[in-house]
Amino acid sequence: MNNIQTLTFWLKAARAQVLPVMILPVMIGSVAAYAWDGIFHLFFFLLTLIGALAAHLFSNMINDLWDFRNGVDTQAEKSEESISTNSRLLANGKVSEGQFTFVTWALFVIAFVSGLLLAILRGWELLLFAIAGGLIAYFYVAPPLKFGYRGKGYSEIAIFLAFGVLPITGSYFVMTRSLPLEVFLLSIPVGLLTTLILFNHHFLHWRADQEAGKKTLVVLWGEKDGLIFSKSLAALAFLSIPLLSVIRVLPWYAIVALFAAIPLASVYRKLGPTNKSPVYGQLMGASLKATTRTGIVIIGSLLIYGLI
């Protein structure tokens, strides 16, 4: 393979197609600094983005690696009722575990170096963000914690922190070296919607997870109750947007983001108490689109507020 083919191969292995769920919160935190404080540093923004994206890809790959070692990938490949959401490269033998491990930790090094540079240049407090994100990424499926396997909402809380609170507040701190309460509140909509993506993806392979001993909330609750929680989580995420507008964390015109809920609600209406895995693939796609569109509207509204 030439260099471009090699890069494309490993981007696919790291599931780079879902990077928008990390790009958006970094942009939201950075644009909020411009909107509220008139501060924006392009170099620090790019360094933050590089570190965050490398950390996200590391998270994807370390999860794939430990899911493979724990037998979840293999079980998903065997199950006719499940759709694997991992890269499948290890389960299908297309790449060696050694190669996969090397690239995984190379991404960690990039993320670590980026975080260290930001801590040196913008404040040691940023090491706390980096350490928290690194621990969540690694121990999500890695022993001894493996909290993504334990149910009880641990994985959902972790995703809310890793793709909502940490990147938004961290990006804002990089720009301003401050952390007002408003920036924590700002992380709620996208944090909840990213958590929704994670939760909905469990429906794709919950039977394989059950066989492999991975106790997600969908496994513990079953499809019917899992869907009730999924709909409630979506409703809470979109309800938070007008509430944040009322308390002036977001400008009033950010409520345009509510239109992003319409296609998602349409998919929910098509679901029954039990559904085939491909139907949940549609729900996953709708969740990702709703998150992306909402994030874009929030960024746009903050940018307009800053300009006027």
Side-chain angles (χ1 to χ4, degrees):
M1 291 190 294
N2 59 38
N3 291 337
I4 295 178
Q5 288 175 324
T6 300
L7 177 61
T8 301
F9 175 84
W10 285 110
L11 286 175
K12 180 181 178 181
R15 288 177 282 145
Q17 71 273 16
V18 297
L19 283 179
V21 299
M22 181 56 79
I23 294 173
L24 291 171
V26 171
M27 291 186 67
I28 289 171
S30 301
V31 173
Y34 171 73
W36 298 343
D37 304 280
I39 299 172
F40 183 80
H41 302 286
L42 180 60
F43 173 75
F44 294 138
F45 168 73
L46 293 175
L47 187 57
T48 302
L49 189 61
I50 289 170
L53 295 184
H56 185 187
L57 295 179
F58 164 75
S59 175
N60 288 346
M61 293 189 71
I62 201 69
N63 287 346
D64 282 10
L65 184 62
W66 280 106
D67 274 346
F68 172 73
R69 290 172 175 173
N70 294 326
V72 175
D73 276 5
T74 305
Q75 193 62 45
E77 289 292 326
K78 292 178 181 178
S79 175
E80 296 180 357
E81 298 180 339
S82 298
I83 297 176
S84 175
T85 54
N86 289 335
S87 64
R88 303 185 182 184
L89 296 177
L90 287 168
N92 292 336
K94 292 183 178 180
V95 64
S96 71
E97 187 175 333
Q99 288 176 303
F100 200 92
T101 301
F102 176 80
V103 174
T104 299
W105 287 102
L107 288 167
F108 174 81
V109 170
I110 294 172
F112 175 79
V113 171
S114 300
L116 184 60
L117 284 173
L118 286 170
I120 293 171
L121 296 171
R122 301 301 290 168
W124 66 267
E125 296 92 342
L126 289 168
L127 285 177
L128 300 178
F129 290 89
I131 292 170
L135 290 175
I136 290 172
Y138 184 76
F139 287 112
Y140 187 80
V141 295
L145 298 183
K146 294 201 300 185
F147 53 82
Y149 281 57
R150 298 178 183 271
K152 300 181 180 180
Y154 296 144
S155 59
E156 285 71 27
I157 293 171
I159 295 300
F160 178 76
L161 292 174
F163 291 91
V165 175
L166 291 176
I168 290 178
T169 58
S171 300
Y172 183 89
F173 184 88
V174 166
M175 296 294 163
T176 66
R177 303 185 72 175
S178 64
L179 280 179
L181 174 62
E182 288 81 359
V183 74
F184 287 95
L185 298 176
L186 182 63
S187 68
I188 292 173
V190 167
L192 289 176
L193 286 171
T194 307
T195 305
L196 179 69
I197 296 173
L198 177 280
F199 186 84
N200 285 343
H201 109 282
H202 290 318
F203 288 109
L204 294 170
H205 43 69
W206 72 272
R207 293 179 180 85
D209 290 343
Q210 189 175 44
E211 291 292 328
K214 188 174 183 179
K215 297 178 181 178
T216 66
L217 289 181
V218 178
V219 169
L220 294 176
W221 293 346
E223 281 185 79
K224 183 178 179 181
D225 290 341
L227 278 171
I228 292 173
F229 179 80
S230 176
K231 294 174 183 177
S232 301
L233 191 60
L236 184 61
F238 283 104
L239 179 62
S240 70
I241 295 171
L243 290 178
L244 290 178
S245 297
V246 168
I247 62 175
R248 298 185 179 181
V249 172
L250 286 171
W252 66 266
Y253 37 86
I255 61 173
V256 172
L258 297 180
F259 285 105
I262 296 174
L264 179 59
S266 178
V267 174
Y268 275 123
R269 283 196 295 268
K270 296 177 183 177
L271 299 177
T274 60
N275 305 274
K276 297 290 185 181
S277 293
V279 178
Y280 286 122
Q282 297 176 23
L283 180 60
M284 263 288 293
S287 303
L288 180 58
K289 289 179 181 178
T291 302
T292 303
R293 291 165 180 167
T294 299
I296 290 172
V297 171
I298 289 174
I299 292 168
S301 66
L302 287 170
L303 186 59
I304 293 170
Y305 180 83
L307 291 172
I308 64 175

